[in-house]
Amino acid sequence: MSAFREGGRFPDASTVGIAATLVALPFVLPSVTLASEVLVFSVAALSCAFLLGMVGLLSFGQGLFFGIGAYVSAVLLKDHGLATLPAVAIAAGASAIGAGLIALLAVRRHGVYFVMLTLAFAQMGYFAMLALNHVTGGENGLTGVPRPPLLAGMGALSGSEAIYAFLAVLAFAAYLLVQRVGASPFGSVLRAIRQNEPRAEALGYDVRRFKVAAFALAGLLAGLAGAMHTVFLGFAPPNVIELEMSERLLIMAIIGGAGAPGAAFVGAGFYVVMADWLSTLWPRWLMLIGFLLIAIVLFLRDGLWGGAAAALHRLRGRGHG
Amino acid sequence: MMRRRTLFGASAGMLAVPSLARAQGGQLQVAGVYSLSGTFANVGDLLNKGTQWAFEHYGNAAGQRINYTLLDDQGDPGRAVRRVQEAMGQGVKHIVGCTTSAIALAVAKEVHARGGVYIHMAGADEATGSECNRASFRWPGASFTAINATVRPFIERNANAKRWYTITGQYVFGESLLTNLKSVLQDAGHQHIGNSYHSLSEREYSGYITAAISARPDVLAICNFGNQTLDVLRQAVSFGMKRNVKIVVPWSTGLDQFQAWGPDICEGVYFGVNYWHGVEAPGNRVVQQVVRQKTNGTTNYLQACGWAVAQMLVEGANKAGSTEIPALIRALEGLSYEGPTGTELIRAEDHQVIKDYYLMLGKARSAMRDPADFAEVVAGTKAFQPPERTGCRMT
C-alpha cells in the first residue's frame, strides 16, 4: 500500500487497483457522466490529500486553484482555439504558478494562520472572478466551451465514453505522479517536515522552499482537475471558484482519509455518488454528509481508506492466527 | 440478516438503476432542472411544484401522456449540466426550468447541442440576447423589462420626483438594472444623483442608506433581487426614508416577498413584478384554481413561473400536433396563448415571451381585502427590447 505517511514503493498493488477501478467505474456506476464527475473530484481531492497527508498543510485554497484551472482552460479552448491537451496542460501549469506565488506568502505562517491565509486567498479569487466578468462571465460562468481534438490533427473529443477515457488517463497520470513523489527523496523530506519541522530545518533542508514546491504541486493537481471539469462539462460554472468548492474538496479528502493517494479517489467517489443518491431521498442531504464527517473524524480518523486498510489488516492477522 | 441483505440489495439497486426511465412509446418524457437541495432548495421546490402541477393539469401534449421527471441539480450549475447530459443520453429531449441564470445558460447550450428544446425562467439578459439559441425559450421579462415597465409608469405618475438615488448589488444583474435605469432617467430628463454599490455578501446597509439620505433624493431605487432586497428595503424604512422619499423596487418576486416584509413596510412602496395573482386573466384563473386545490393558498411568482414554462411546452406541442423538436420549435415561435399574465406571445426573433410586467403600489394594512392583498396593480406594461437590440443571433 502506497502511503503518504510512511512512504512506499512505486508502483505497487494500489497502482494496479486504481487502474482497474478506472476501467470498471463506468460499468459499475449508473452513468458514464457520473463516473466522469468522480474522476474530476478524485484528482481535486488528491490535491488536498497530498498537502494534508504528506506535508501536514490544511489548505482552504484548493478551490481557488481548481477554479483557475477551470477558467484558464475554458478561455484557451473558447477564445484561443487551442487543442484540448495543450489547454489542459497550460491551465494546470497556470494553477501551479498561482499556487507557488501564494505559497511564498502563506508558508511564512503556521497552523491556523496558514489556514486563514489560504481561506483569504480563496475568497479573493472568487471576487476576482466577479470583477473580471468580461473574461470569466461573472455569475453566469463561461458557457459554450468547445471540445476540440486532443491535439491538432486528431479527431474531435466527442461522446461521453471518449471524454471519460481521456479523463481516466489524466486521473491515472495524476495518481502516478503523486505516488512517484511519495516514493522519492523529495517525498521523504516532505514527510520529515510534517513529522518534525524544526528538526528537518536543523538537518539543513530549506523547509520553506520544500513547502512552496509541495503547494505548487498541489495547485497543479487542483488546476488539472479544474481543467478536466471544463472539458467534461463544456462549461466553467462560477461555483468552481467559490469557497464552498474548497470546503467540498477538503471534505472529500477527509472522508477518504489523507493517508494515501488512493484514499482521495475513495473519498471523492463516495461523496459524489452519495450526493447523487442522497439528494433523491432528502433535500437536506448535506446534513447527512455532515453527520458522516463527524463520525469519520471521531471514529475513523484515517477515513474510509484507513478504516478499510485496518479491517484488512485485522482479517489477515486472524487468518495467520 | 435477511433484512440487512434486502436493504443492501435495494440500495444497490437504486444506485445501479438509471434515474430516468427510457422513453416509452406514446409518452412524452419531460425533465425539469431544479435545485431541490442545496442553497436554492426553497426556490427550486416552489418552481418544481408549479411545473409538476401544470403537467398534472394538462396530462397530455400533442396526444402523448406527459411523464415528468425532476433532475435535482443541487444548486450546482456543473451538476445541472451533468444531469441533463445523462437525461438526454437516455433519450429525453424536452427540458424545462432552472433555479439560477448560470444553470439556465449552461443547460441551454447543452440542450441545443444535443438537439432538444429548453424552456426556462432565467433572469439574465443574455438568455434571449447574446447567448440565445434556436432551442431555448424564456418566460419572464429580464432587467430591461423590469426597469422600463416600472420606472416609466412611475415617472408618469410622479413627474416631480426627479432626483434619483440607487443602492445596487455589485454583480451582473444589479449592474444591468442600474444601466437600464440610468438610460430611462436620461430619456425622461431626470437626474441620477448618486449610487451606492454593495457586495453580494453584505447584510447590513445602514452606511449606504445614510449616504442616500444625505444626498436628499426624491426617489430611492433598489437595484437587486432576493434576500438582499428584503434587507435593504427593511432598513431603509426603519431609517424613516418613506416619510419624504419614494421608494421603487424594480425587481421583486411579489407575494412571497410582500409576506416577508408585511404591509407596514410595503405600504406606499412601488414594486416591479413579473406575476401577480390578482390579475384578471383566463390563464391566471386556471393557475389560481389548481394552486388553491393543491395548497389552499394563493399562487406566488415561483409557482406561476414553474407553471408557465410547462404550459408553454404543452401549448407548443398541441399547436404543432407533434412533440418532434423541429416541429415544436417552429410552433413555439410566434405562438400566442392565454398564460398566467393574460395573452402571452413568444417572439420568434429571440424566443422571449412578450407579457405584462407590473408596477405595484403597496397598500396600507387597513386597505387589504384579504391576507394576500398587499398591493394594487398601478400599470401592466409589455416593455421589451426590440429584437434587433437584444444582441440575439439565432443559431
Side-chain angles (χ1 to χ4, degrees), chain A:
Chain A
M1 184 167 294
S2 170
F4 283 139
R5 288 182 184 154
E6 292 85 27
R9 289 210 313 239
F10 170 80
D12 66 4
S14 74
T15 318
V16 180
I18 289 292
T21 305
L22 295 182
V23 172
L25 211 54
F27 303 102
V28 175
L29 292 180
S31 71
V32 181
T33 54
L34 183 63
S36 297
E37 191 177 347
V38 168
L39 292 189
V40 169
F41 285 106
S42 294
V43 176
L46 184 59
S47 146
C48 284
F50 169 73
L51 270 185
L52 193 58
M54 189 86 116
V55 205
L57 292 175
L58 177 71
S59 168
F60 263 99
Q62 298 316 101
L64 169 63
F65 311 125
F66 185 85
I68 291 174
Y71 279 111
V72 170
S73 58
V75 169
L76 292 174
L77 290 168
K78 191 176 176 183
D79 300 334
H80 298 275
L82 254 67
T84 301
L85 209 50
V88 167
I90 294 171
S95 296
I97 292 168
L101 292 174
I102 286 172
L104 287 173
L105 279 173
V107 301
R108 299 164 82 93
R109 292 288 175 268
H110 294 85
V112 72
Y113 300 103
F114 173 83
V115 175
M116 292 309 292
L117 281 171
T118 57
L119 193 74
F121 277 113
Q123 273 289 51
M124 282 170 61
Y126 175 68
F127 286 108
M129 178 276 289
L130 290 179
L132 297 170
N133 64 65
H134 56 288
V135 179
T136 61
E139 299 95 2
N140 294 337
L142 271 180
T143 56
V145 178
R147 294 189 187 98
L150 291 184
L151 291 167
M154 292 173 76
L157 190 64
S158 63
S160 303
E161 289 78 12
I163 291 169
Y164 177 84
F166 174 58
L167 298 182
V169 169
L170 291 180
F172 191 57
Y175 181 83
L176 290 179
L177 173 67
V178 171
Q179 208 185 18
R180 180 70 192 92
V181 167
S184 71
F186 173 63
S188 303
V189 177
L190 294 181
R191 266 190 296 280
I193 291 170
R194 179 177 53 78
Q195 285 163 2
N196 194 328
E197 190 172 327
R199 189 174 288 177
E201 203 154 17
L203 286 170
Y205 292 111
D206 187 339
V207 168
R208 204 176 283 178
R209 192 175 289 180
F210 274 93
K211 280 186 175 178
V212 169
F215 205 79
L217 179 60
L220 181 129
L221 293 169
L224 174 67
M228 288 164 67
H229 194 254
T230 299
V231 171
F232 163 45
L233 295 176
F235 166 49
N239 68 326
V240 291
I241 203 164
E242 279 177 9
L243 190 59
E244 195 269 332
M245 180 59 78
S246 295
E247 295 166 4
R248 199 194 302 180
L249 301 182
L250 208 50
I251 288 171
M252 288 174 185
I254 291 170
I255 287 176
F265 283 63
V266 170
F270 185 83
Y271 184 97
V272 171
V273 175
M274 280 294 120
D276 202 61
W277 179 50
L278 291 176
S279 68
T280 62
L281 303 180
W282 191 37
R284 304 291 172 221
W285 61 274
L286 275 166
M287 252 178 93
L288 299 178
I289 297 285
F291 283 130
L292 182 72
L293 194 64
I294 292 167
I296 285 175
V297 169
L298 288 178
F299 306 114
L300 214 61
R301 290 193 61 188
D302 286 328
L304 297 176
W305 180 275
L312 205 64
H313 186 70
R314 269 201 298 275
L315 276 176
R316 275 187 191 150
R318 253 185 231 169
H320 289 302

Side-chain angles (χ1 to χ4, degrees), chain B residues 217-264:
Chain B
D218 298 323
V219 186
L220 170 70
I222 300 168
C223 297
N224 203 337
F225 89 111
N227 288 339
Q228 285 195 318
T229 300
L230 283 176
D231 293 340
V232 173
L233 180 60
R234 258 193 211 118
Q235 290 176 29
V237 171
S238 74
F239 269 69
M241 279 199 89
K242 268 203 312 192
R243 279 198 292 274
N244 44 16
V245 176
K246 294 194 182 302
I247 302 178
V248 180
V249 181
W251 184 277
S252 163
T253 51
L255 184 60
D256 58 314
Q257 285 196 326
F258 297 165
Q259 285 166 335
W261 278 311
D264 295 338

